[in-house]
């Protein structure tokens, strides 16, 4: 199963206006560091932490989170990101404790429930607890496509295929084009041996993140399961 779902956090604030951080990793980092030097804010440190996390610079990400928490000790976004980074570093017990701390401090933070549920699905056998956390997450945010996708995964593991398909439909209605949404949805279709649907999801994921090695590997796996000429030409076009 996939690791932490790092949300896109590319908007930083300067003089009350939004600036979208674009360009290379080094250019983005330099831009955010200049903003921090002029006016250190928790939001800037969080933008830096997300940038470092997306580039798998875990220690740098954790340092930036620490700076954000010094400025805003109860910042839900920073606390959640810390739990995710610790998980990515395979520091599982501290990560588990951090996820629980997020929920204790922020009982109405829907993404906290969703991400802790995903953590439990990945690193434990606590499927029922994960299910309850996802239901709570969706109670707080019924339009969270990723939570619907994870709940569909839980139901599929419990052999409740009809309920799984229902939540996949809801996820498809609400999703906002996150590549990991398409990846996890593709995994579910592969488990149900619906390889055409899996291929469609992976195609969409590659459009968003064409250099993602994991998605390309999943594509090759789907290719082994189907001999459809239509998808063979698609894979050749994508250079898989």
């Amino acid at each position: 199963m996939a690791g932490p779902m790092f949300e896109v956090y590319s908007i930083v604030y300067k003089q009350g206006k939004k600036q979208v951080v674009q360009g290379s990793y080094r250019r983005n980092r330099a831009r955010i560091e200049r903003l921090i030097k002029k006016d250190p804010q928790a939001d800037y440190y969080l933008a830096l932490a997300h940038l470092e996390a997306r580039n798998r610079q875990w220690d740098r990400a954790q340092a930036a989170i620490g700076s954000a928490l010094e400025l805003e000790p109860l910042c839900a976004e920073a606390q959640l990101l810390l739990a995710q980074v610790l998980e990515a570093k395979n520091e599982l017990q501290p990560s588990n404790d951090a996820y629980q701390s997020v929920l204790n401090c922020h009982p109405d933070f829907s993404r906290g429930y969703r991400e802790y549920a995903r953590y439990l699905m990945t690193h434990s056998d606590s499927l029922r607890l994960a299910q309850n956390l996802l239901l709570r997450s969706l109670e707080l945010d019924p339009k969270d496509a990723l939570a619907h996708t994870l709940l569909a995964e839980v139901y599929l593991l419990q052999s409740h295929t009809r309920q799984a398909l229902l939540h996949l439909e809801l996820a498809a209605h609400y999703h906002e084009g996150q590549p990991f949404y398409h990846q996890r949805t593709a995994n579910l279709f592969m488990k149900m041996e619906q390889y055409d649907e899996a291929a469609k999801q992976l195609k969409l994921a590659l459009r968003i993140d064409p250099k993602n090695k994991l998605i390309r590997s999943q594509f090759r796996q789907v290719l082994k399961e189907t001999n459809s000429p239509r998808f063979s030409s698609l894979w050749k076009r994508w250079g898989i």
Side-chain angles (χ1 to χ4, degrees):
M1 294 183 181
M5 297 181 182
F6 295 105
E7 306 291 326
V8 175
Y9 199 91
S10 59
I11 296 177
V12 295
Y13 296 87
K14 184 179 181 182
Q15 298 177 350
K17 297 181 180 180
K18 292 182 179 180
Q19 284 188 332
V20 179
V21 179
Q22 298 175 337
S24 70
Y25 161 67
R26 289 185 178 181
R27 183 176 298 177
N28 287 338
R29 191 177 73 188
R31 187 179 302 174
I32 298 171
E33 286 175 341
R34 286 196 298 270
L35 290 171
I36 290 172
K37 187 175 181 179
K38 290 180 181 179
D39 182 17
Q41 296 182 20
D43 249 2
Y44 294 158
Y45 282 112
L46 273 175
L48 179 60
H50 276 272
L51 176 67
E52 301 291 10
R54 290 198 304 275
N55 285 275
R56 305 180 67 83
Q57 300 292 333
W58 308 125
D59 290 338
R60 287 179 175 176
Q62 189 170 347
I65 296 165
S67 297
L69 287 171
E70 286 181 7
L71 294 169
E72 294 186 20
L74 294 179
C75 175
E77 184 72 34
Q79 290 179 339
L80 176 59
L81 187 55
L82 176 60
Q84 293 174 304
V85 167
L86 290 170
E87 179 187 355
K89 293 173 69 175
N90 205 35
E91 298 180 16
L92 297 184
Q93 188 57 55
S95 175
N96 183 78
D97 295 344
Y99 280 118
Q100 291 183 353
S101 178
V102 171
L103 300 186
N104 289 334
C105 293
H106 308 282
D108 296 325
F109 186 31
S110 63
R111 284 197 292 115
Y113 290 96
R114 184 196 76 201
E115 277 299 285
Y116 189 34
R118 182 205 48 74
Y119 169 91
L120 292 173
M121 292 168 66
T122 305
H123 302 291
S124 79
D125 297 324
S126 304
L127 198 60
R128 181 56 61 87
L129 176 56
Q131 178 180 339
N132 291 337
L133 291 168
L134 289 168
L135 290 171
R136 174 58 176 158
S137 175
L138 287 169
E139 181 183 342
L140 293 166
D141 183 6
K143 296 183 179 181
D144 186 336
L146 296 172
H148 280 294
T149 304
L150 290 169
L151 189 55
E153 193 169 332
V154 169
Y155 284 135
L156 192 60
L157 289 169
Q158 296 172 336
S159 299
H160 300 321
T161 305
R162 183 176 298 179
Q163 289 170 286
L165 290 172
L166 171 62
H167 282 279
L168 280 177
E169 289 179 10
L170 290 168
H173 180 71
Y174 292 125
H175 85 87
E176 298 177 348
Q178 305 97 325
F180 33 70
Y181 156 76
H182 294 297
Q183 284 178 259
R184 291 196 84 105
T185 302
N187 284 338
L188 292 180
F189 281 125
M190 289 171 69
K191 289 177 182 177
M192 292 185 286
E193 299 184 354
Q194 296 185 24
Y195 298 111
D196 283 8
E197 291 298 325
K200 290 176 184 177
Q201 293 298 325
L202 292 171
K203 176 184 176 182
L204 292 170
L206 275 176
R207 283 180 175 174
I208 300 167
D209 190 1
K211 296 183 180 180
N212 189 303
K213 293 181 180 179
L214 178 59
I215 300 173
R216 297 170 77 87
S217 175
Q218 287 178 287
F219 234 142
R220 286 192 291 270
Q221 185 178 350
V222 173
L223 178 59
K224 292 178 181 178
E225 301 293 343
T226 177
N227 294 317
S228 169
R230 179 164 60 93
F231 285 117
S232 294
S233 62
L234 174 66
W235 284 305
K236 289 178 182 178
R237 188 160 64 250
W238 280 89
I240 304 298

